[in-house]
Amino acid sequence: MTDWISLSRDACGAAKTYGEAARLATAALAAPQGTPDPLLVEQHQRQVHGFAWIGTTVAALESCADWAARAGTAGRFGEVEMLVLQIGFGEYLHQLASGVAMSQNEYVRPGELGIAEAASALAQDPAAARFMAEGNTAANRARLAALLAEGAVPDETFGDETLDLIRQQFRAFTADRIAPHAHEWHLADALIPIEVVQEMAELGVFGVCIGEEYGGLGLGKTAMCLVSEELSRGWICAGSLGTRSEIAGELIGENGTPEQKTKWLPKLADGSILPTAVFTEPDTGSDLASVRTRGMRQADGSWRITGAKTWITHAARADMMTVLCRTDPDTPGYGGLSMLLAEKTRGSDADPFPDDGIDGSEIEVLGYRGMKEYALGFDGFAVAEDGLLGGAEGQGFKQLMRTFEGARIQTAARAIGVGWNAFDLGLKYALERKQFGKPLLAFPRVADKLALMVAELVMARELTYSAARHKDKGERCDIEAGMAKLLAARVAWANADNALQIHGGNGYALEYEISRVLCDARILNIFEGAGEIQAQVIGRGTLKAQPGG
């Protein structure tokens, strides 16, 4: 019997060799002196981003092989795990050798990077060739779909009692309190009921990563991924409620003064204060160096904020804002930016922004509706003297950058949850709906979609967990976090699109939940760094890496 776990290790070795060929070829274009040249990176953006996608695919293969090895060691590597491994490896190795999708109509092919020979060597490697020939086959897809229809689930056990209990607890809570009502809330464009938010607070959602000394759970990013994934499997907005607390908690926990930590962290952890992140401006997008909103110190030491912000999630209901603003107008770029911790009054439907110096208008959106999006205008909004994060000016951008790893890992976890939601709905419909006298699942193209949904979900999930583990060890993981977010967002969208296709015309009807999931999935490739930004960060950050580095 073939040892597919060992074979996956060998195939990963071949894939890494191919990835290194892609790195060397791209570095010759964009980093000829050993360090990425900004002008050349932009000139050869397609190749740099393509290299990032190749690296992400290789990393996903490695993470999946690690998953299979852990399952094998624990005696949990059964038929469904073997099929997921075979299908996932077969598909992704084929993509590496022929063309990796960067979007629906953009593919990076070996020839345009000048690595056609390396692609041929990959395809001829014995382990890779075995997966490519015997992995993603019609028979394997049909068998996996049949097992999934019977309720089989690819191994998701951590072997850690606390983490496994967290998954069980939040899966049960989501099934009871989120999933049955999510579509109703979405269609009504309503905020998640505050009583549900309070229940989530009691479960510790808002303090997962906040230290126990401040009333949090102190469990780290892996636990945060679990919570986000399970809540998002019911509705992305439930999983996203914790994002703002995650960002605020990490900003204050990593950068705040002792007084700021004592003041804010316990209230964030217990959910008595709901925060919102106020970073983006109408004309800046991802170009945070161009932030213009002013934070002006007053004679009494307090601050006043003036300017415009946009795409601010949960702004009306929030009690505090982390505001990136320019406190030193004479210092251009990042150096003049600071982070202010601004208290505000929680708004209501009748009066969403009751404080002086702040007003907002709702941005109507396709999905992601449970918290609402706003454009905010500040006109001398007052911030207390102790509102400067860390008590130091000019550190705002650096402080924010430190949170991006965690935020992107958390977003990847949300994407995994959305992808599972799409699969759940697609499978349910394929089992219940009959055409030509038999259930939709009996048709190969439907079974194929469902099998590939799960195979890709496991690949993206394990890449996300891997990034979280790096973060929990205190290691820098901006590249790993970007890769996880890049792949998971694509998988969530593909799953939602395919699940809607399984529904046919009914999927386009608002009454069917998959219409909501499709709208929700689309945002994942945009916020917390658009896919193009992720590819830029990954490509630029790994061009100077050395083999095995």
Side-chain angles (χ1 to χ4, degrees):
M1 181 177 177
T2 301
D3 184 352
W4 288 101
I5 296 176
S6 295
L7 206 64
S8 72
R9 293 289 195 196
D10 294 340
C12 281
K16 287 182 68 175
T17 299
Y18 177 71
E20 175 60 11
R23 187 191 71 79
L24 291 172
T26 309
L29 294 173
Q33 304 302 318
T35 301
D37 182 311
L39 293 177
L40 292 176
V41 168
E42 183 172 331
Q43 179 183 342
H44 299 288
Q45 189 178 77
R46 178 179 171 83
Q47 289 90 340
V48 172
H49 289 196
F51 159 60
W53 271 105
I54 289 171
T56 297
T57 304
V58 173
L61 288 168
E62 292 182 288
S63 296
C64 189
D66 289 343
W67 164 76
R70 290 193 303 273
T73 300
R76 300 190 304 267
F77 190 76
E79 185 181 9
V80 69
E81 288 75 27
M82 182 176 69
L83 289 167
V84 165
L85 184 71
Q86 290 173 322
I87 293 168
F89 263 68
E91 177 57 31
Y92 277 21
L93 287 166
H94 263 296
Q95 289 184 19
L96 286 174
S98 59
V100 177
M102 297 191 290
S103 72
Q104 284 87 340
N105 62 357
E106 296 172 285
Y107 295 83
V108 55
R109 304 193 191 282
E112 63 183 310
L113 289 178
I115 54 172
E117 289 187 8
S120 178
L122 172 64
Q124 293 175 34
D125 174 83
R130 184 78 180 275
F131 273 109
M132 292 168 73
E134 301 177 26
N136 186 19
T137 64
N140 281 348
R141 294 191 299 272
R143 178 57 182 160
L144 178 57
L147 291 172
L148 296 169
E150 294 171 0
V153 177
D155 182 49
E156 56 186 12
T157 304
F158 278 87
D160 179 293
E161 184 178 1
T162 298
L163 293 176
D164 291 336
L165 284 173
I166 287 172
R167 187 186 292 284
Q168 294 174 21
Q169 180 183 35
F170 279 93
R171 183 166 294 176
F173 173 79
T174 299
D176 179 48
R177 300 293 290 129
I178 303 297
H181 312 290
H183 203 56
E184 173 190 346
W185 296 333
H186 164 81
L187 291 177
D189 195 11
L191 290 169
I192 295 179
I194 195 63
E195 58 269 22
V196 176
V197 178
Q198 291 166 346
E199 291 176 36
M200 292 170 63
E202 291 168 4
L203 289 173
V205 170
F206 305 120
V208 173
C209 295
I210 292 175
E212 292 181 272
E213 66 271 28
Y214 296 108
L217 300 180
L219 291 175
K221 304 301 180 184
T222 304
M224 177 266 293
C225 280
L226 281 174
V227 172
S228 301
E229 177 187 337
E230 292 301 331
L231 290 171
S232 297
R233 192 167 184 168
W235 191 21
I236 188 175
C237 296
S240 297
L241 266 174
T243 307
R244 268 124 290 284
S245 295
E246 170 73 16
I247 293 171
E250 188 159 356
L251 276 171
I252 298 169
E254 295 292 327
N255 307 287
T257 64
E259 294 77 15
Q260 287 170 337
K261 293 177 184 179
T262 299
K263 175 181 178 179
W264 293 109
L265 293 180
K267 295 177 181 179
L268 289 170
D270 67 16
S272 57
I273 279 183
L274 299 176
T276 188
V278 185
F279 308 143
T280 306
E281 296 189 359
D283 298 321
T284 61
S286 298
D287 183 15
L288 294 178
S290 298
V291 162
R292 290 182 292 184
T293 295
R294 284 292 313 279
M296 295 167 283
R297 193 189 290 270
Q298 306 300 295
D300 63 358
S302 65
W303 299 84
R304 294 291 186 274
I305 301 175
T306 298
K309 295 287 187 177
T310 193
W311 293 111
I312 310 306
T313 306
H314 217 203
R317 189 187 261 172
D319 307 292
M320 69 92 74
M321 304 176 287
T322 52
V323 186
L324 185 68
C325 56
R326 189 166 298 282
T327 55
D328 182 0
D330 296 326
T331 300
Y334 302 126
L337 300 178
S338 300
M339 190 72 69
L340 295 182
L341 307 176
E343 294 186 68
K344 64 178 284 292
T345 302
R346 184 177 296 191
S348 62
D349 290 340
D351 190 6
F353 298 98
D355 294 316
D356 292 335
I358 182 174
D359 198 6
S361 57
E362 184 181 347
I363 302 170
E364 295 185 358
V365 290
L366 290 171
Y368 196 57
R369 291 178 170 181
M371 295 172 290
K372 296 186 180 290
E373 304 292 325
Y374 291 90
L376 299 182
F378 294 96
D379 185 10
F381 181 78
V383 180
E385 182 180 358
D386 64 357
L388 179 64
L389 180 61
E393 290 190 53
Q395 300 300 306
F397 182 76
K398 293 179 181 178
Q399 292 165 344
L400 181 58
M401 288 301 101
R402 297 187 190 109
T403 73
F404 276 3
E405 292 179 351
R408 286 171 177 168
I409 293 170
Q410 202 258 6
T411 299
R414 286 185 282 171
I416 301 304
V418 172
W420 280 117
N421 194 356
F423 166 77
D424 293 338
L425 295 171
L427 177 62
K428 182 174 184 291
Y429 193 85
L431 289 169
E432 294 175 353
R433 179 74 169 180
K434 289 184 169 54
Q435 289 284 286
F436 306 105
K438 52 188 175 182
L440 290 178
L441 188 64
F443 295 93
R445 285 292 304 281
V446 173
D448 284 352
K449 287 177 174 61
L450 293 165
L452 282 164
M453 280 185 203
V454 169
E456 282 207 284
L457 275 171
V458 171
M459 305 281 274
R461 182 190 71 190
E462 295 307 315
L463 185 58
T464 301
Y465 290 166
S466 176
R469 292 186 187 102
H470 281 291
K471 186 72 173 174
D472 284 338
K473 292 176 184 176
E475 300 168 353
R476 179 177 175 178
C477 62
D478 54 334
I479 302 300
E480 291 83 356
M483 286 179 169
K485 199 266 184 184
L486 185 69
L487 180 62
R490 188 186 73 182
V491 170
W493 173 250
N495 280 17
D497 190 33
N498 279 313
L500 191 146
Q501 189 71 17
I502 290 171
H503 281 70
N506 285 338
Y508 207 62
L510 289 178
E511 67 180 282
Y512 282 82
E513 292 183 69
I514 191 59
S515 67
R516 178 194 81 245
V517 176
L518 184 82
C519 293
D520 289 344
R522 189 61 189 89
I523 192 62
L524 288 158
N525 201 34
I526 298 173
F527 65 11
E528 299 296 346
E532 291 77 9
I533 295 295
Q534 300 302 319
Q536 184 87 348
V537 170
I538 296 163
R540 190 178 57 208
T542 52
L543 275 179
K544 58 184 177 182
Q546 296 303 311

